[in-house]
Amino acid sequence: MHLPHQRGPLHELPDEGADYDAVLAAVADESLARLTPDGGLEHPAAVDDIGDTSLGITSLLALAWQRTKDPRLPDAVRRSLAFHLRERVYTEDNPGYPNLTVRNSGLPYARYVLESGAHPIGDWPSTVWALLQAVNVLDAADGLVDDGQRAELVELAHGYWRWLTEATFFNPQEAGNQAIGCVVGGLMLARHLPSGQGEPIRSQAIGLYAEKIRAHRVRDRGALLPPEHGGAYDNNYGPISLSFLAQAHRVSGEEIFAEDGDALARYIDARVTTGGFDNGGPRYSEQHSAFESVLGLRYFGRRIGADIGRYRGDSRWARHAAQRDGGLDGHFAFMLVWQIQDTTRWHRTSSKDPVRHQLRAGTVSVAFDDRMTPSLVEAGGTYYLPAAVNRQHGFGPVTDGFLLCRPMGETRVRDLHTEALTAKLVTKPVVGRDHVLRHVRSLYVTDGASLWTIVAVERLDGTPYLLAGLPYATDDGDRVRRTAEADATSAGELRLTHPATESVDHFDARAETTQQQAAFALAADPRGYGNPDEGWRHLVASTALEAGPAPGAPEDLHIFAVRYGPGGPFTPVFDRTPAGLTVRTEAFTALIGDPAGDAGGEPELELSPR
């Protein structure tokens, strides 16, 4: 089975002006055929996320007219705009909406579901989206919309802003993408108001960003990130936040948005594999965005000089939102408008600077979590997640069922790059159940095609092994396919084990269940509301690659050696010398310094190809 949402890298989508004109032409044809007698442009099957969608398609038609002057479009724009102003503006409080701070304000808002009292919790983001669709129409209104309609739309957009900032709590779902989107709406609205009204709204929008979003950023892997549904980063919404930061910087020029976008982009570059696969989040684990992410990935990828466009998106939403039948949906249409207007080109080469939380070369990459334990390994076209044993998750030595990967003290990192090899040495103190402090030294070396992992630790009792990952997915053309197989070789015994228990908290990679499905099944709240990352942490055991100790290690050490990806015989040799531990493989010789490190305690590493 293929993973449903992670498909092709987003930078593979053609994005020349002619490509976008072709997209807009197709949008125009479908929209004109759909336009109802009363001016509606909503997809007939749309139920939720609907309150802004007709206006979103109107904004696309307005942009198409701006670029092509297609004579069919002005009448459709005016009729569909009239439909939204007449049929999709609500001023009476939605029964059951819990986040109002002012009752019966009379201010306009957009509904997530049109039926009164049906799922009102979504009205805040829907109103943000409606505000953004409205300001996009206003940007293209000259020569297209008459003065009366324009004045009515300006008044409506101003009312949306006031409802979002005066009549409700700001950002009630703690969703960074929604909150930054609201700020963008204020910045864009300010340009359409007289200076006496516009400048205070611009200042208010920037103040909301600084006080309500930036001041509450969450730290993950050394970066401060806009919080997303209570977590640091979500692999669906995080890149969408990046797009909103790009638009905020484009329309305001304020450096604060550039700085925070650069930080988020570098974080994405560190966590996403070479192949563009990613996993994890407080709202979704594997459901990726597509066209909604293009603007931010392209804009900030160019700024930081990184190929973050390798991020895999959902190509079913490659250009715009679509319903199940593939038909056009106006949801999030503002993102397509902005990416067409932005002329930034993709940056397609990877950064060569070493990054603490990633090792990357060729088709191999390792992303590390806050504890410098691999969160995702990619080698030989296969992606490995941290495996689980006895409710403990990660990569590392296991003794008596106890996983030694959680640091008890400072974790130190040493990066090294030669002409042919890229390496990272991670040294962390750990404490086992016996309360003995040990130093785990993990060396990761790649030639761009294979990954060698050498893990050394003071000798352990019992029959230890290395928990070496959960083989989860593999590249299959422009798709990602589920797998339960590993292309790996070990110096010691290597086995691929599967849980003996069939239950929701035991993940068998051979089953046709995705990580996201399993995570939501373990989450406290329903799918789409629960935190899959928290749910996945309840996993007791999983399919696991387990590597026994390598023969020939010094008597006081256990050494584990695994090669991921292609290669011939793998028989590493180990020698203890006064300088440290020497490891010789078929591809390199490495000297791993003593756990005490150099004079400053930093780990020592020497590396040479063979």
Side-chain angles (χ1 to χ4, degrees):
M1 69 182 265
H2 288 105
L3 296 180
H5 300 288
Q6 300 212 28
R7 299 179 181 228
L10 290 175
H11 64 204
E12 292 183 359
L13 293 172
D15 64 346
E16 299 290 342
D19 300 312
Y20 283 131
D21 284 337
V23 171
L24 289 174
V27 166
D29 289 343
E30 182 176 343
S31 301
L32 292 170
R34 177 187 298 172
L35 187 67
T36 62
D38 61 358
L41 286 170
E42 294 158 355
H43 190 286
V47 175
D48 53 18
D49 264 323
I50 190 175
D52 66 295
T53 60
S54 181
L55 187 60
I57 297 178
T58 302
S59 73
L60 292 174
L61 297 180
L63 178 63
W65 180 83
Q66 228 183 15
R67 291 169 68 92
T68 67
K69 295 300 186 286
D70 183 336
R72 303 175 300 166
L73 299 182
D75 181 63
V77 168
R78 294 165 192 150
R79 287 174 57 195
S80 60
L81 178 55
F83 168 82
H84 182 84
L85 293 170
R86 184 182 66 248
E87 303 290 344
R88 292 297 177 258
V89 178
Y90 297 85
T91 55
E92 295 182 357
D93 294 353
N94 199 353
Y97 186 70
N99 297 314
L100 292 175
T101 58
V102 178
R103 296 286 179 188
N104 303 312
S105 68
L107 293 170
Y109 66 94
R111 286 188 174 177
Y112 177 75
V113 176
L114 299 180
E115 181 184 351
S116 181
H119 204 83
I121 195 71
D123 289 354
W124 201 87
S126 289
T127 304
V128 173
W129 311 152
L131 171 60
L132 294 172
Q133 317 281 27
V135 292
N136 278 344
V137 174
L138 288 171
D139 281 353
D142 289 347
L144 184 61
V145 174
D146 63 42
D147 290 344
Q149 269 195 327
R150 185 185 185 283
E152 193 174 353
L153 186 58
V154 169
E155 182 181 1
L156 175 63
H158 194 183
Y160 283 152
W161 173 258
R162 291 188 58 199
W163 187 85
L164 291 164
T165 59
E166 298 176 19
T168 70
F169 290 100
F170 184 80
N171 190 21
Q173 295 184 28
E174 295 184 359
N177 75 97
Q178 298 172 10
I180 305 171
C182 182
V183 167
V184 171
L187 294 171
M188 296 183 70
L189 169 65
R191 304 185 302 181
H192 294 283
L193 296 174
S195 59
Q197 291 180 297
E199 188 54 39
I201 287 180
R202 174 188 164 92
S203 297
Q204 182 187 12
I206 295 172
L208 284 169
Y209 179 76
E211 297 167 14
K212 298 291 189 179
I213 304 171
R214 195 171 201 259
H216 299 279
R217 288 177 298 170
V218 179
R219 184 176 295 278
D220 185 45
R221 308 184 196 192
L224 286 171
L225 309 171
E228 189 54 65
H229 287 279
Y233 180 83
D234 184 278
N235 66 11
N236 179 41
Y237 292 120
I240 295 177
S241 284
L242 191 67
S243 287
F244 282 128
L245 287 169
Q247 182 67 0
H249 186 242
R250 289 182 68 236
V251 300
S252 74
E254 292 290 332
E255 192 61 23
I256 189 173
F257 301 117
E259 292 175 359
D260 292 355
D262 288 351
L264 178 53
R266 291 191 180 98
Y267 172 86
I268 291 173
D269 189 34
R271 72 171 285 147
V272 174
T273 60
T274 297
F277 180 83
D278 189 21
N279 176 268
R283 184 70 181 270
Y284 296 105
S285 291
E286 295 176 333
Q287 182 170 323
H288 276 38
S289 48
F291 77 98
E292 314 100 308
S293 303
V294 167
L295 174 65
L297 295 169
R298 195 173 64 192
Y299 189 85
F300 284 106
R302 173 63 58 180
R303 278 185 56 91
I304 68 170
D307 60 331
I308 53 177
R310 68 186 189 275
Y311 178 96
R312 287 184 180 268
D314 192 332
S315 57
R316 293 169 299 181
W317 280 35
R319 298 300 193 181
H320 49 69
Q323 288 288 331
R324 292 183 182 275
D325 64 358
L328 170 69
D329 190 302
H331 183 50
F332 255 64
F334 47 82
M335 283 296 190
L336 178 56
V337 171
W338 300 340
Q339 67 171 273
I340 292 174
Q341 293 171 335
D342 179 57
T343 58
T344 303
R345 311 310 303 156
W346 285 111
H347 183 93
R348 295 181 179 273
T349 56
S350 61
S351 172
K352 300 301 182 184
D353 297 333
V355 177
R356 179 178 175 88
H357 291 93
Q358 189 185 67
L359 173 73
R360 181 181 173 205
T363 58
V364 172
S365 55
V366 185
F368 296 87
D369 64 16
D370 259 338
R371 304 179 303 186
M372 288 307 297
T373 296
S375 62
L376 192 56
V377 169
E378 172 193 19
T382 296
Y383 302 99
Y384 301 82
L385 304 180
V389 57
N390 292 342
R391 303 182 189 276
Q392 305 158 96
H393 299 205
F395 289 74
V398 177
T399 177
D400 192 26
F402 189 84
L403 174 61
L404 297 168
C405 74
R406 294 170 296 280
M408 179 61 68
E410 190 66 23
T411 298
R412 299 177 186 264
V413 178
R414 185 69 169 265
D415 287 283
L416 195 59
H417 181 76
T418 71
E419 185 175 344
L421 300 168
T422 303
K424 188 184 294 285
L425 175 62
V426 177
T427 302
K428 61 175 73 173
V430 298
V431 175
R433 285 202 173 98
D434 56 7
H435 292 225
V436 174
L437 182 70
R438 295 177 174 86
H439 289 84
V440 176
R441 290 174 287 169
S442 302
L443 174 64
Y444 305 89
V445 181
T446 179
D447 61 358
S450 296
L451 172 71
W452 290 264
T453 300
I454 312 295
V455 179
V457 63
E458 288 89 348
R459 183 159 286 271
L460 302 166
D461 295 331
T463 55
Y465 62 90
L466 181 73
L467 194 64
L470 157 63
Y472 177 68
T474 188
D475 289 333
D476 185 12
D478 62 352
R479 298 292 301 276
V480 179
R481 177 173 49 82
R482 277 293 314 282
T483 189
E485 299 177 356
D487 180 10
T489 308
S490 172
E493 179 190 2
L494 184 67
R495 54 190 177 270
L496 184 63
T497 65
H498 304 283
T501 302
E502 293 185 10
S503 67
V504 69
D505 54 5
H506 289 69
F507 185 81
D508 191 327
R510 297 170 298 183
E512 290 195 357
T513 302
T514 66
Q515 186 272 345
Q516 178 172 292
Q517 290 171 327
F520 273 122
L522 292 166
D525 296 306
R527 183 186 183 280
Y529 302 93
N531 183 334
D533 274 3
E534 286 186 357
W536 188 252
R537 292 187 191 107
H538 295 300
L539 194 70
V540 174
S542 72
T543 292
L545 195 63
E546 301 175 355
E555 290 185 359
D556 61 336
L557 294 177
H558 268 122
I559 299 177
F560 307 91
V562 176
R563 184 186 63 212
Y564 302 84
F570 182 46
T571 55
V573 177
F574 312 101
D575 292 313
R576 166 82 78 187
T577 69
L581 175 68
T582 299
V583 180
R584 294 182 179 86
T585 74
E586 76 283 9
F588 63 86
T589 298
L591 175 63
I592 304 173
D594 185 88
D598 62 14
E602 294 301 317
E604 295 181 281
L605 176 63
E606 295 179 9
L607 184 68
S608 59
R610 296 190 67 183

